[in-house]
Amino acid sequence: MSKSFTPNTANDGMMILSRLLLSAGDGERSRLPLSTDANSGITGITWNKFKELLALANTNHVIVRGLEVFLKIMLDARNEVRADWAATALAAERRRIDNAILFLHAICTVFTEEGRDATVIKSLDHWPDLGSDLDLYTNADSEEICTLMKRHFQAQIAPRSWGDRLARKWNFLIPGLPEPVEIHMGRLGQTGEQVAIASWLSARARPAMIGGQTFRVPAVSDRLMISTLQRMYRHFYFRLCDIVDTATLAASRSINYDELRSSARTAGIWEGVATYLVIVSDYLKQYRGSGLDLPQLVRAGARFGGGEVYFGRGFLRVPIMPQSAGLYRSQLTGLLRRRELYNSARLGLLPWLATAAVVGQKITGSDKGIW
């Protein structure tokens, strides 16, 4: 039985955002219902505190969803000044997103016209919010994609870190697009160890209408596994959007847990996926009184729950030792058992890469070029 979150796991800003975004609802809307409780304690927020809240919402990719409910609360309270703050910030963010969506659709269209597959990963999971970069996956040859991006979009290739090279991902900078475009080619995972998920990702992708445009996005199980790779095996922190996005998926009853377990076991990350879902469920329970309706197979597969997660530097942090280290060892053991020696060797480089990043951060103040 996992421990519950306690109030000291987050600062005031994170608790305010959580209350706004994670209230219980009828579950019949296309996305998670948002609280409109005028007694949520924010009607008297100062301008400086509002800016801090806005920055936190931005780093957690919930700026649109958070501002929508903030604006409604202020309008209901006839608080015109604070309503204007929200409306102005919301309009600016929507302009940014509209511009990014146009570029993203243009890139995907060119890929299709050139006979190359393109699946948008991670970036559209947060809709109507959008992340700070645009992520795609393709099976196409890297040299072909680099040439395509330069020819059609005058893109420049950003310097690649050691981690980028292992993961087989490239970042492209395009004139007129503030967000970098990150393209994963043929592999997934921090060290490119995930060929299992990559091998079926494009074939299982499905069309989705986003912002008036059609994109190919991962199947639900693949989406959850990619999120798990990001949170539990690479960054070791959750954004609030991860909680909201997963809750929305669960509320729509689109998660097939048996299929998810089968795919995640093949990828060697079932324990990480189960732990990810239990953490989300525990956080939801803290803020809306009920968690996800998870089957026993998920709870049995989880290594730990929300009680191990804490707030730090703007995010919900997952302890690396011993919790995340245990998941890493489990993934590596699974690769070795399946005799995936090349992928095991890649994954085995992760601790050295992480160590080099820490040393570089201490010496130069940056892990640029490494992580």
Side-chain angles (χ1 to χ4, degrees), residues 332-353:
L332 182 57
T333 299
L335 289 173
L336 290 169
R337 284 175 178 168
R338 293 193 300 276
R339 299 182 183 276
E340 296 183 29
L341 301 183
Y342 183 64
N343 296 326
S344 300
R346 297 178 80 98
L347 187 59
L349 293 172
L350 182 59
W352 303 101
L353 192 66

Side-chain angles (χ1 to χ4, degrees), residues 99-112:
N99 181 64
I101 287 294
L102 288 175
F103 272 95
L104 183 60
H105 187 258
I107 293 168
C108 292
T109 298
V110 167
F111 272 54
T112 300

Side-chain angles (χ1 to χ4, degrees), residues 54-71:
L54 195 62
L56 187 63
N58 186 38
T59 58
N60 280 270
H61 300 339
V62 292
I63 192 167
V64 171
R65 288 169 286 187
L67 284 175
E68 284 179 342
V69 65
F70 183 97
L71 177 59

Side-chain angles (χ1 to χ4, degrees), residues 83-361:
D84 185 61
W85 296 349
T88 301
L90 190 56
E93 180 64 4
R94 283 175 170 157
R95 286 194 297 272
R96 179 189 78 86
I97 291 172
D98 288 346
N99 181 64
I101 287 294
L102 288 175
F103 272 95
L104 183 60
H105 187 258
I107 293 168
C108 292
T109 298
V110 167
F111 272 54
T112 300
E113 291 174 347
E114 296 280 346
R116 305 292 180 265
D117 64 294
T119 303
V120 182
I121 59 174
K122 299 181 287 186
S123 300
L124 299 178
D125 294 357
H126 322 310
W127 191 259
D129 285 288
L130 192 73
S132 54
D133 59 8
L134 304 178
D135 289 87
L136 294 95
Y137 173 83
T138 182
N139 288 309
D141 178 75
S142 59
E143 187 172 335
E144 292 178 354
I145 295 302
C146 290
T147 300
L148 180 153
M149 292 294 291
K150 290 176 181 178
R151 183 172 71 248
H152 288 275
F153 301 101
Q154 295 75 53
Q156 293 183 345
I157 301 175
R160 299 174 71 207
S161 67
W162 298 351
D164 291 340
R165 295 175 187 278
L166 278 172
R168 286 191 56 78
K169 63 182 181 182
W170 282 253
N171 280 279
F172 298 90
L173 308 177
I174 298 176
L177 177 65
E179 298 78 13
V181 179
E182 184 172 280
I183 304 181
H184 302 249
M185 306 186 199
R187 288 179 174 271
L188 291 168
Q190 173 63 22
T191 60
E193 77 283 354
Q194 273 300 336
V195 293
I197 301 174
S199 67
W200 65 60
L201 184 72
S202 296
R204 300 196 333 184
R206 55 189 175 84
M209 181 69 72
I210 303 289
Q213 309 286 359
T214 300
F215 299 93
R216 290 187 60 76
V217 300
V220 170
S221 292
D222 298 342
R223 170 178 160 177
L224 286 170
M225 287 189 289
I226 291 170
S227 294
T228 297
L229 287 171
Q230 285 286 103
R231 300 296 143 224
M232 308 302 298
Y233 294 93
R234 182 186 179 190
H235 292 308
F236 311 114
Y237 64 75
F238 278 65
R239 286 187 169 98
L240 189 52
C241 64
D242 300 312
I243 309 294
V244 179
D245 299 343
T246 306
T248 304
L249 275 182
S252 68
R253 301 186 182 279
S254 57
I255 304 175
N256 183 326
Y257 291 102
D258 289 318
E259 194 278 329
L260 176 60
R261 178 174 62 174
S262 176
S263 296
R265 279 180 168 173
T266 299
I269 58 170
W270 168 238
E271 290 180 337
V273 171
T275 303
Y276 173 96
L277 289 170
V278 169
I279 288 173
V280 170
S281 182
D282 286 352
Y283 198 82
L284 285 168
K285 187 174 182 179
Q286 171 68 28
Y287 283 97
R288 72 178 190 186
S290 62
L292 301 178
D293 184 17
L294 297 175
Q296 181 56 30
L297 65 91
V298 174
R299 298 196 176 277
R303 284 287 192 94
F304 55 93
E308 308 299 329
V309 178
Y310 61 96
F311 182 82
R313 302 191 307 278
F315 303 109
L316 299 167
R317 301 281 171 177
V318 178
I320 296 178
M321 295 294 292
Q323 288 84 356
S324 294
L327 293 175
Y328 166 77
R329 286 193 297 270
S330 177
Q331 184 187 15
L332 182 57
T333 299
L335 289 173
L336 290 169
R337 284 175 178 168
R338 293 193 300 276
R339 299 182 183 276
E340 296 183 29
L341 301 183
Y342 183 64
N343 296 326
S344 300
R346 297 178 80 98
L347 187 59
L349 293 172
L350 182 59
W352 303 101
L353 192 66
T355 300
V358 171
V359 172
Q361 182 73 39

Side-chain angles (χ1 to χ4, degrees), residues 42-53 70 82 85:
I42 62 169
T43 52
I45 192 170
T46 66
W47 170 243
N48 286 337
K49 287 295 182 181
F50 174 76
K51 289 193 295 183
E52 291 175 8
L53 190 68
F70 183 97
R82 290 170 178 82
W85 296 349

